[in-house]
Amino acid sequence: MACASCALQVETVLRHTPGVVQASVNPALNDAVVLYNSAVTSEAAVRAAIRQAGYRVAGDDGSSGDAPASAPERVSDEEREYRTLMRKWWFGAAVGIFTMIFSYPWLLPVLRDWLPRGSEQLRYLWMGMGVLSFAVLAYSGSQFFTGMWASLRSRQANMHTLIAFGTGVAWIYSTIAVLFPQIFPEEGMTEVYYDVTVVVTALVVLGLAMEIRAKGRTSEAIKKLIGLQAKTARVLREGRELDMPVEEVLVGDVVVVRPGEKIPVDGVVLSGSSAVDESMITGESLPVEKREGDEVIGATINKTGAFQFRAAKVGSDTALANIIRMVQDAQATKVPIQRVVDVVSSYFTPAVMILAIVGFVIWYLFGPAPALTYALVVAVTTLIIACPCALGMATPMSLTTGIGLGAQHGILIRGGEALQKAKELNTIVLDKTGTITHGKPALTDVLVTGSFAGDEVLMLAAAVEESSEHPLAQAIVEGAEARGLRLSEAAEFQAIPGHGVEGRVGGRTVLLGNVKLMRDRGIDVAGLETPARGLADDGKTPMYVAVDGRAAGIIAVADTIKPDSTEAIVRLKKMGIQVVMITGDNERTAKALARAVGVDRVLAEVLPQDKAHEVQRLQLEGRVVGMVGDGINDAPALAQSDVGFAIGTGTDVAIEASDITLIKGSLRGVVTAIQISRATMRNVYQNLVGAFIYNTIGIPIALGLLYPIVGILLSPILAAAAMSFSSVTVIGNANRLKRFRPSVSAA
Amino acid sequence: MTPDKILVLLGGAGAIAFIVWFFWLVRKEGVRAALTSSGYQEAMILVKGGYTPDVIRAEAGKPLRLKFRREETAGCSDTVLFPDFGKSAQLPSGEVVSVELMPQARGEYGFQCQMGMLRGKLIVE
């Protein structure tokens, strides 16, 4: 949009669109704010109206203007750039073959006779080559010259500057040599370097094209995340089911999801039930059961049943949009070592230019004849072989791949610093409740006395508890259901606060509660008190059951260990990391659990507010400490630790509190996160060392350091190939990271 | 030493001196972000072979909105990074993309393309 009159034109068109209440267009920002009646028109219709007025609407490919969603457009940008570069390469390559042959016609038997060295016809041919190679510089090499101009204006230098200078100098020298051969004292100097100009340009352009392809693969993870977004949603409005683009779903809408469909936005299930595949967000491969009141995450796939849910988060507020934004931002961060690299690269390019001049002068003063030729070749080769790009790309490429890799496994890494620290961890502190264990009680033991059967007691207790709202009650009910017991209806249910519950099931009186309740009712539980104490010592909560006035048994519930905790702890220890458990439980209970999962150090009886202090004490022992907790209660400890791992579940992503967020609530994520960090940092170092070695070896060779020793002088064309190859190698190495497979993962 | 060699020597020394002066010794003034009625400091930055202007001056403690407009398709400049702020933005060519920052502490903060080839500086005063 060019001017205010265009803005006015679009506004007029919009105001005349049925259903539009108000429209204002800002030409400077290229945006339009349109207020419309959604009963009459839709966003799509508004977009269509703008298009009809002859303007393009950003994000017309189904995306909105938000940062995460604008990526599909970027893909086509990339594709367009790739095609342009390839055209430039083919043009350069075609001219390149021609110039290669006719720059040295005396090397070919047939041409030797037609175009002898120093002949008039060869000079005319070279003039033609000069024109053609200028065309290559102007077309294929245009970005180097515009880039050089732009960077020089802001007094900076980059790869463009080097390539433009290198090819430009070669072209100017050749042109002077062709037009005014008489100014050169020796005949040998009147050779031309149009082949250098053309082939170097072509090779570097080809390198850029390959970079774009490789870079596209680096950010594949983000593209995959963006591709997860649902395109349409089926929404209930005024009693009718309407299919609409997902952008038009509003908070509070009731969304209908059928089997096999993608859940469009985040929300809470209103009715129906199903199993949902959440692997794309959490990395959990098993489908998750969803019932009324459960949260569903946008972009996950509904498997079995149909259900309706109320949209809670839409657009850029959804969990997926947050994840995408976080992954994108994480890529913008720096690994601490990058700061050193930055300082180096800010001096690098001008330093290379200085070296090229130094090389030129030395070869001119002390080099063999023809001195000018050698001096020129050395200077041009030096300019071209230096690859500031490889240095600059070394970390960002690996970071992008590594962080994207994490996202695919349900691990959100905050940035480069977190990656570097996670690699150095030698101690992991695990919060017991909710981290090693489920954080919610489950049925563990059923003990019986006399003639009672285990299932009988459990069934009676569960039937009574079904009417209770106590969390322990739910554990008993779920435990009974898990054993396949059918629960009959309980009558005369009564909760006795602080003691227990009672009720009648199938004509039998059932009493469930603590020892005080039993004594109050005159029930003899003497035989059960010892096992009850044993259960309590193990950190479990025992409850007495009495049926028809007689003691029937004990039901115990406890927070249970997550099935994969033990495996993850074994893995961590194998990786050379000491595992410490922190808990508010008493020493004995904590030690019992620690033994069960294989934790070697226990910090027991720690009050919640002292957790951060304990982490600090470990740090004072010289350890690099990672803290794993739930992100809410453990926030201070997470902040104190070197790397805070927040274990979240579903949409409840506590991104802010932590360095690394595990979307799935499994400890295996900690193992995978550390493995990814180690792999990524290793990749970063490989790239940096590679780029550094390439430049420290390549530049001296280009300067001709090998010439006095073994008589080798690098050709500028080989230098161009090497430099293109080096930056592609860096990206290729970063892409290698994608082959990483975590050693523990359900996926 | 022949006259041409002396000329080359002097020319080389002169060129090196120029490079040192041109790239390293000159301090750039930069452009001050203008304060708008909404309370934001705003500056437009053209992305074409580099960032123009590439030095932005802003006041600490006031929100800053940098509007990037990319007028090229060269792959390098498609993302702008603010490593000190942990922010990044995709810059589709031909569109204005705003990056909002809250500069708290004084100092110099760099911004750059993904590969660090294009660089700019944010000076907070």
Side-chain angles (χ1 to χ4, degrees):
Chain A
M1 206 176 300
C3 57
S5 74
C6 308
L8 205 64
Q9 188 192 344
V10 175
E11 273 183 19
T12 316
V13 170
L14 282 173
R15 290 210 184 105
H16 286 90
T17 307
V20 170
V21 183
Q22 202 188 349
S24 74
V25 176
N26 184 336
L29 293 178
N30 282 313
D31 67 8
V33 180
V34 183
L35 192 65
Y36 61 86
N37 183 344
S38 60
V40 181
T41 187
S42 68
E43 193 183 327
V46 172
R47 283 172 179 272
I50 299 175
R51 274 196 299 276
Q52 248 174 14
Y55 294 88
R56 204 166 60 82
V57 189
D60 248 355
D61 42 11
S63 63
S64 68
D66 297 340
S70 64
E73 194 152 334
R74 199 176 134 240
V75 176
S76 62
D77 253 10
E78 254 171 29
E79 188 56 38
R80 207 176 324 134
E81 175 68 5
Y82 175 77
R83 287 193 194 136
T84 314
L85 285 173
M86 284 313 279
R87 270 200 302 277
K88 289 178 170 183
W89 145 251
W90 284 118
F91 179 63
V95 177
I97 289 171
F98 173 76
T99 44
M100 288 265 267
I101 293 169
F102 289 100
S103 291
Y104 314 98
W106 51 86
L107 296 180
L108 291 166
V110 189
L111 296 176
R112 194 180 303 153
D113 307 332
W114 293 353
L115 303 160
R117 216 167 174 168
S119 66
E120 206 50 12
Q121 57 266 43
L122 185 59
R123 209 160 77 88
Y124 286 121
L125 183 74
W126 281 354
M127 283 182 193
M129 262 162 53
V131 174
L132 265 180
S133 51
F134 184 77
V136 172
L137 285 185
Y139 173 65
S140 304
S142 57
Q143 69 268 33
F144 304 130
F145 289 90
T146 51
M148 174 180 78
W149 178 241
S151 66
L152 288 184
R153 274 203 325 189
S154 51
R155 289 176 182 263
Q156 286 180 336
N158 53 37
M159 182 199 91
H160 289 163
T161 325
L162 296 180
I163 301 295
F165 264 118
T167 54
V169 164
W171 189 85
I172 291 170
Y173 171 86
S174 308
T175 307
I176 294 173
V178 167
L179 294 180
F180 314 105
Q182 60 279 11
I183 65 166
F184 293 92
E186 301 158 54
E187 203 202 318
M189 282 188 191
T190 53
E191 272 177 30
V192 292
Y193 293 98
Y194 289 128
D195 56 331
V196 171
T197 314
V198 174
V199 178
V200 166
T201 306
L203 282 176
V204 179
V205 163
L206 180 66
L208 288 180
M210 282 158 65
E211 251 176 60
I212 287 192
R213 270 291 135 93
K215 234 178 96 190
R217 283 197 289 277
T218 317
S219 50
E220 227 165 48
I222 285 221
K223 282 182 204 149
K224 267 192 202 154
L225 284 173
I226 290 167
L228 288 177
Q229 283 166 328
K231 302 269 180 301
T232 59
R234 190 173 298 115
V235 175
L236 269 186
R237 282 204 186 143
E238 289 155 15
R240 282 192 305 149
E241 282 186 17
L242 297 174
D243 277 326
M244 57 174 69
V246 70
E247 293 82 25
E248 295 181 17
V249 179
L250 305 173
V251 171
D253 272 342
V254 176
V255 183
V256 183
V257 186
R258 296 196 184 130
E261 285 182 345
K262 205 175 252 187
I263 296 167
V265 295
D266 297 355
V268 178
V269 177
L270 285 176
S271 62
S273 69
S274 180
V276 174
D277 175 8
E278 295 188 336
S279 60
M280 57 295 286
I281 301 287
T282 63
E284 167 69 64
S285 60
L286 294 174
V288 183
E289 284 296 325
K290 296 287 177 186
R291 268 182 275 176
E292 212 178 299
D294 285 344
E295 280 189 348
V296 288
I297 313 172
T300 56
I301 291 171
N302 178 27
K303 288 280 188 200
T304 49
F307 63 90
Q308 298 188 351
F309 74 96
R310 188 175 296 285
K313 285 175 187 162
V314 300
S316 55
D317 295 329
T318 61
L320 179 66
N322 273 319
I323 291 170
I324 292 171
R325 198 173 314 124
M326 185 181 162
V327 172
Q328 276 177 343
D329 283 347
Q331 293 170 353
T333 60
K334 275 187 181 169
V335 179
I337 189 173
Q338 178 72 13
R339 298 191 191 275
V340 183
V341 178
D342 276 353
V343 176
V344 173
S345 34
S346 67
Y347 289 99
F348 185 82
T349 319
V352 167
M353 291 161 76
I354 290 173
L355 281 176
I357 295 170
V358 169
F360 183 91
V361 171
I362 289 177
W363 276 86
Y364 192 84
L365 297 187
F366 309 112
L372 181 59
T373 308
Y374 279 115
L376 188 85
V377 168
V378 163
V380 168
T381 312
T382 307
L383 286 176
I384 285 165
I385 203 165
C387 190
C389 269
L391 270 180
M393 283 187 302
T395 33
M397 288 298 128
S398 309
L399 266 194
T400 306
T401 318
I403 288 170
L405 192 69
Q408 282 174 339
H409 290 95
I411 296 160
L412 301 181
I413 301 163
R414 191 174 253 301
E417 209 145 340
L419 268 180
Q420 171 139 353
K421 278 282 179 195
K423 176 200 146 240
E424 292 162 5
L425 288 179
N426 54 27
T427 307
I428 289 276
V429 179
L430 303 172
D431 180 41
K432 191 204 91 180
T433 312
T435 305
I436 298 177
T437 65
H438 283 109
K440 94 179 197 195
L443 179 75
T444 54
D445 301 82
V446 181
L447 303 177
V448 288
T449 65
S451 58
F452 289 99
D455 280 356
E456 179 192 12
V457 173
L458 180 59
M459 191 268 280
L460 291 171
V464 177
E465 288 284 36
E466 210 174 14
S467 308
S468 169
E469 278 161 5
H470 199 275
L472 293 183
Q474 206 185 338
I476 295 174
V477 174
E478 277 173 10
E481 281 172 349
R483 293 190 187 189
L485 300 181
R486 285 255 307 271
L487 303 185
S488 21
E489 197 90 5
E492 296 167 37
F493 171 81
Q494 201 192 341
I496 307 144
H499 291 86
V501 292
E502 68 173 325
R504 289 181 70 82
V505 182
R508 306 168 83 177
T509 315
V510 182
L511 196 61
L512 181 76
N514 57 18
V515 71
K516 191 160 186 300
L517 177 72
M518 298 298 146
R519 287 201 190 121
D520 285 355
R521 300 294 172 97
I523 293 161
D524 177 26
V525 289
L528 289 171
E529 275 179 16
T530 315
R533 211 170 303 125
L535 289 168
D537 283 344
D538 286 346
K540 296 170 180 169
T541 309
M543 282 171 281
Y544 295 93
V545 186
V547 178
D548 292 332
R550 276 193 307 135
I554 301 172
I555 290 178
V557 297
D559 196 359
T560 51
I561 299 165
K562 290 184 193 172
D564 39 20
S565 292
T566 314
E567 188 199 352
I569 289 166
V570 169
R571 283 276 172 192
L572 286 171
K573 281 164 58 177
K574 262 194 200 147
M575 290 161 77
I577 293 170
Q578 190 183 28
V579 183
V580 179
M581 185 177 89
I582 198 163
T583 175
D585 292 350
N586 67 57
E587 187 99 24
R588 253 194 77 186
T589 316
K591 285 235 164 102
L593 186 99
R595 263 196 308 278
V597 293
V599 167
D600 26 44
R601 188 166 165 184
V602 179
L603 303 171
E605 290 165 51
V606 178
L607 297 172
Q609 59 269 30
D610 292 340
K611 281 183 188 168
H613 186 63
E614 291 294 331
V615 169
Q616 196 181 13
R617 286 230 314 244
L618 287 169
Q619 286 170 324
L620 289 176
E621 291 174 20
R623 299 169 176 280
V624 185
V625 180
M627 167 82 201
V628 187
D630 66 7
I632 300 153
N633 303 317
D634 301 330
L638 289 180
Q640 173 62 44
S641 65
D642 295 287
V643 181
F645 293 83
I647 283 197
T649 37
T651 57
D652 180 29
V653 188
I655 289 173
E656 291 305 323
S658 60
D659 301 305
I660 296 179
T661 304
L662 310 171
I663 301 176
K664 194 178 89 179
S666 161
L667 269 186
R668 284 185 303 201
V670 178
V671 179
T672 311
I674 294 174
Q675 283 172 342
I676 288 178
S677 308
R678 289 183 175 180
T680 308
M681 290 312 296
R682 196 163 47 233
N683 202 270
V684 166
Y685 285 118
Q686 282 165 357
N687 275 349
L688 282 178
V689 169
F692 186 74
I693 288 178
Y694 166 80
N695 280 304
T696 47
I697 290 180
I699 294 175
I701 292 179
L703 282 170
L705 230 60
L706 288 183
Y707 189 80
I709 308 163
V710 282
I712 293 176
L713 196 58
L714 202 62
S715 130
I717 291 176
L718 270 179
M723 120 94 172
S724 291
F725 183 70
S726 77
S727 42
V728 172
T729 311
V730 164
I731 306 180
N733 189 43
N735 276 328
R736 225 166 40 88
L737 258 186
K738 285 199 304 194
R739 283 194 250 132
F740 167 89
R741 294 279 169 274
S743 62
V744 280
S745 174
Chain B
M1 204 177 255
T2 51
D4 61 312
K5 287 190 174 176
I6 293 171
L7 209 67
V8 165
L9 191 60
L10 290 178
I16 290 171
F18 177 77
I19 289 172
V20 170
W21 170 78
F22 185 83
F23 290 110
W24 293 330
L25 294 185
V26 178
R27 265 201 85 75
K28 284 169 263 187
E29 264 312 297
V31 170
R32 178 166 293 282
L35 199 62
T36 59
S37 54
S38 58
Y40 269 91
Q41 312 180 74
E42 283 195 351
M44 276 293 266
I45 296 171
L46 175 72
V47 184
K48 194 178 181 187
Y51 299 112
T52 318
D54 68 327
V55 178
I56 306 287
R57 290 175 176 272
E59 262 179 76
K62 285 182 188 157
L64 173 68
R65 188 182 285 144
L66 297 174
K67 293 179 181 167
F68 286 88
R69 187 186 169 87
R70 175 162 163 251
E71 287 186 354
E72 64 177 357
T73 50
C76 188
S77 58
D78 60 4
T79 311
V80 63
L81 312 181
F82 289 82
D84 298 306
F85 295 88
K87 286 215 171 186
S88 72
Q90 310 287 333
L91 308 176
S93 55
E95 280 178 39
V96 175
V97 177
S98 293
V99 176
E100 293 184 3
L101 306 168
M102 186 65 199
Q104 295 288 8
R106 278 175 208 187
E108 293 189 0
Y109 306 95
F111 56 93
Q112 59 177 87
C113 73
Q114 203 178 23
M115 302 183 187
M117 195 160 105
L118 314 181
R119 287 164 184 283
K121 201 161 51 175
L122 174 66
I123 300 176
V124 178
E125 300 160 317

